[in-house]
Amino acid sequence: MNALLSTDAVARPQRLAYWTDMICNVYVQLGCDPVRPDESEDFEGSIRQHTLPGLDVSVVRSGPQKVLRTSGHIARSGDDYFLVSIQAQGRGVVRQDGRDAVLEAGDFALYDSTRPYQLLFDDRFEQIVLKLPGDRLRSELRETQALTATTVSGRQGAGHLLLGMIRTLREDIETLQPASALAVANGVQNILVAGLQTLPAASAPSLSSLTAYHLARVKRRIEEQLGDPALSVGSLAAELGVSASQIHRVFKSEPLTPAQYIWERRLEACSRDLLEPRLAGRPVAEIAYGRGFNDAAHFSRAFKERFGCSPREWRQQRVQ
C-alpha cells in the first residue's frame, strides 16, 4: 500500500488537529504541539506511506513541532512497535529512557512504542521512519531498552549501508513485486540490526569457538527439520547426542530461547511461502502444516501477532 497524506487537504485552522490524527493512524497514538503556539494555524506537513511485508516505510516532511507518546497514550493503545527515525534533512531529537539522540542529516535512532518518548524538531525537517513489530526486533537483539534514543551515524559502517538501501528503496518501492519486497524488508532489518549492534550498549562477550560451533550446528539442524511437527529441544538433543541443558546453554547469549527460535523460524518460513507464486494455489493451512505447525487456528493467531495481519491478508499482498 502506498499513500500520500497532507495537511493541504483541510483548512488552516484544522491542520494541526488533522496532522495529529494522521500521525496516530500511521504510527501509534501520539500527541503533537507546535514549538511556537502562535504557529498552529500555519502548520504544514505531509507523510508518504509505503507498506512492505512486515515493515512500514514513511517519509515525513513538516515544520517545527514536539511529538509525545505518554503513559496515557500507551494505556489507551498497547501498540508494540519499534520505530527508527532516519534524519534526511534538518535536525531532530529522539528522547526516551533518559537519553537524547541528536540526529543530523544521515543519522538515525531507535525508539520503542511500549514506553513514553518525545520527538523534537526546532525547524522544518524531513525524516524517513521505519516501523516494525516489536517482537521482530527483540528476536534479533538483546536488551533493546539499552539501545533506544542513541544516535547511529549514517556516515560509516552499517549505518551508511542502511541509508544507501533506503535511498534505493525510495526510488523503486512502487515497482517491487511482493516476494522481492519481503526480501528487501528483511535486508533492511538485517542492516538495521547490524547498525544497532555497533552501539556500546549492545556489546556482549564473544562466544568461544566451541560454543559458536555448537550454536551453528543446532541452528542448521533446526532449519533442516522445520517441517517436522515433532521438532523440539528434546528431539534435537537426542539427535545431536547432547543434553537439552547443553542446547539451552549455547543459546544463552541469544535473544530467543531454543523453543522460541524454532517458532520464529517457522513463522518466517511461512511468511515467505505465502508470497511465493509457485505456492499460490496451496491453502494457508497446508503451508502452515508444511512448516511444522499442527493447529491452523493457533498458527493464524501467532502469525497475526508476529506480522500484524492474518496469513490471508499477508498473502493478499502478492496480488495487489
Side-chain angles (χ1 to χ4, degrees):
M1 181 188 75
N2 302 312
L4 175 62
L5 307 170
S6 172
T7 54
D8 290 345
V10 298
R12 285 190 175 278
Q14 302 168 354
R15 286 184 175 179
L16 182 59
Y18 184 71
W19 176 257
T20 302
D21 287 344
M22 282 169 54
I23 60 177
C24 288
N25 289 334
V26 174
Y27 305 112
V28 293
Q29 289 296 304
L30 299 163
C32 181
D33 295 312
V35 173
R36 292 172 283 278
D38 60 328
E39 295 184 348
S40 59
E41 288 197 9
D42 296 323
F43 194 90
E44 294 181 347
S46 68
I47 302 174
R48 184 172 291 277
Q49 183 184 14
H50 306 278
T51 301
L52 300 176
L55 176 70
D56 286 355
V57 181
S58 54
V59 180
V60 183
R61 295 186 178 96
S62 189
Q65 62 191 272
K66 178 168 66 174
V67 177
L68 304 95
R69 181 158 168 85
T70 66
S71 299
H73 292 126
I74 294 168
R76 291 193 297 271
S77 172
D79 296 319
D80 182 5
Y81 293 101
F82 280 104
L83 298 108
V84 179
S85 285
I86 305 169
Q87 199 72 25
Q89 295 177 21
R91 180 178 181 272
V93 177
V94 175
R95 178 172 293 164
Q96 189 173 50
D97 297 325
R99 294 182 294 273
D100 284 7
V102 179
L103 305 181
E104 306 290 347
D107 298 334
F108 68 88
L110 176 78
Y111 44 109
D112 185 341
S113 73
T114 65
R115 296 189 304 284
Y117 63 78
Q118 296 181 23
L119 309 177
L120 310 173
F121 306 97
D122 291 333
D123 209 336
R124 293 196 63 80
F125 70 94
E126 177 181 317
Q127 278 194 343
I128 303 164
V129 181
L130 311 180
K131 174 185 170 185
L132 62 161
D135 286 347
R136 186 173 187 187
L137 201 60
R138 291 189 194 95
S139 72
E140 299 286 341
L141 288 167
R142 296 177 63 89
E143 307 298 336
T144 54
Q145 187 167 342
L147 306 179
T148 55
T150 305
T151 304
V152 181
S153 173
R155 288 172 283 281
Q156 59 188 0
H160 182 68
L161 290 175
L162 179 65
L163 286 178
M165 177 173 279
I166 293 297
R167 290 191 188 102
T168 303
L169 183 59
R170 287 181 66 178
E171 296 173 0
D172 299 335
I173 196 167
E174 295 186 10
T175 62
L176 285 173
Q177 296 299 311
S180 299
L182 177 59
V184 170
N186 288 336
V188 168
Q189 178 182 321
N190 292 339
I191 296 176
L192 169 63
V193 168
L196 293 169
Q197 286 175 334
T198 66
L199 298 175
S203 299
S206 57
L207 298 178
S208 70
S209 297
L210 183 60
T211 299
Y213 164 76
H214 284 302
L215 180 61
R217 185 177 174 221
V218 172
K219 287 185 173 181
R220 184 170 60 250
R221 194 56 58 94
I222 288 172
E223 293 298 321
E224 292 169 352
Q225 298 185 16
L226 278 182
D228 182 359
L231 175 63
S232 67
V233 176
S235 69
L236 285 168
E239 187 173 345
L240 295 172
V242 298
S243 67
S245 61
Q246 284 178 289
I247 291 179
H248 282 288
R249 276 198 297 274
V250 299
F251 267 83
K252 191 173 181 180
S253 63
E254 294 288 291
L256 300 178
T257 66
Q260 290 170 335
Y261 181 81
I262 293 170
W263 193 260
E264 176 71 13
R265 297 307 300 152
R266 283 176 167 158
L267 288 171
E268 290 282 358
C270 288
S271 74
R272 294 192 300 272
D273 292 347
L274 288 166
L275 295 181
E276 174 55 59
R278 292 173 298 176
L279 302 178
R282 188 171 296 179
V284 169
E286 188 175 329
I287 285 177
Y289 297 148
R291 292 298 186 175
F293 291 97
N294 53 21
D295 184 318
H298 193 194
F299 162 71
S300 293
R301 288 194 297 271
F303 192 96
K304 186 168 185 177
E305 183 176 335
R306 171 65 172 76
F307 293 101
C309 64
S310 71
R312 295 186 188 281
E313 291 168 337
W314 180 274
R315 173 176 257 182
Q316 188 62 28
Q317 297 176 84
R318 190 182 60 80
V319 295
Q320 289 177 349

